[in-house]
Amino acid sequence: MKDIIFNVFLLLTVIPCFWVALSSNIVHAAFSLLITLFGVAGLYVLLGADFIGVVQVIVYIGGILILIIFGVMMTQRGKLLPLSIQLPGKLFAAVLTGVMLVALILTSTKSLWPVAFVLGEPQPTSAAIGDLLLGKYLIPFEVASVLLLVALVGAVLIVRRSVGGE
């Protein structure tokens, strides 16, 4: 069952990735990037890095990508110009990429990979990170949060003065 879920997340990562690279519509590319980043978050969770998977969803999918999508959709006023990338060595790059792909596949399938030990089930990491942030690293965590708050207030004051002075 885990193999099936892993393969689903793998396909959710790889297939939209090609659409991001080959799409001529920036909105379609952005939504494909959203699906790709969701697949990467699922792979993180399957590998036992649940905290990194949640951060991937919150920061990249929830923050940055949604900001890009709304920015593109609001600034284009309904008319989206197709992306056109005219590179002189496009055919050479495609051939070189195919050769490298074949070389990597042959190397990974024909090599004898040493196995030192058998890994157990991945353990969740969020409890350990929470214990460290609220235990051993509480003071640096709070200092960083106060520093970020001061930077945010300073940025608001700078913007307010520049808008008021114009």
Side-chain angles (χ1 to χ4, degrees), residues 33-56:
L33 183 61
L34 177 110
I35 297 168
T36 299
L37 292 175
F38 179 74
V40 169
L43 290 174
Y44 281 142
V45 171
L46 283 177
L47 291 172
D50 53 346
F51 181 75
I52 296 175
V54 170
V55 168
Q56 172 89 11

Side-chain angles (χ1 to χ4, degrees), residues 131-164:
D131 289 340
L132 286 174
L133 283 178
L134 296 175
K136 183 177 179 183
Y137 296 108
L138 179 63
I139 300 298
F141 181 68
E142 291 299 326
V143 168
S145 67
V146 169
L147 182 66
L148 287 172
L149 178 65
V150 168
L152 181 67
V153 170
V156 168
L157 288 176
I158 289 171
V159 169
R160 185 180 239 177
R161 285 184 189 157
S162 68
V163 169

Side-chain angles (χ1 to χ4, degrees), residues 24-78:
S24 62
N25 188 335
I26 194 165
V27 176
H28 293 165
F31 277 113
S32 298
L33 183 61
L34 177 110
I35 297 168
T36 299
L37 292 175
F38 179 74
V40 169
L43 290 174
Y44 281 142
V45 171
L46 283 177
L47 291 172
D50 53 346
F51 181 75
I52 296 175
V54 170
V55 168
Q56 172 89 11
V57 169
I58 291 172
V59 172
Y60 288 110
I61 295 175
I64 297 171
L65 196 60
I66 299 301
L67 183 67
I68 290 171
I69 290 171
F70 280 122
V72 166
M73 292 173 84
M74 290 178 145
T75 58
Q76 294 294 328
R77 306 267 179 172

Side-chain angles (χ1 to χ4, degrees), residues 103-116:
L104 286 172
I105 289 172
L106 288 175
T107 303
S108 65
T109 57
K110 301 293 183 190
S111 296
L112 296 175
W113 298 96
V115 178

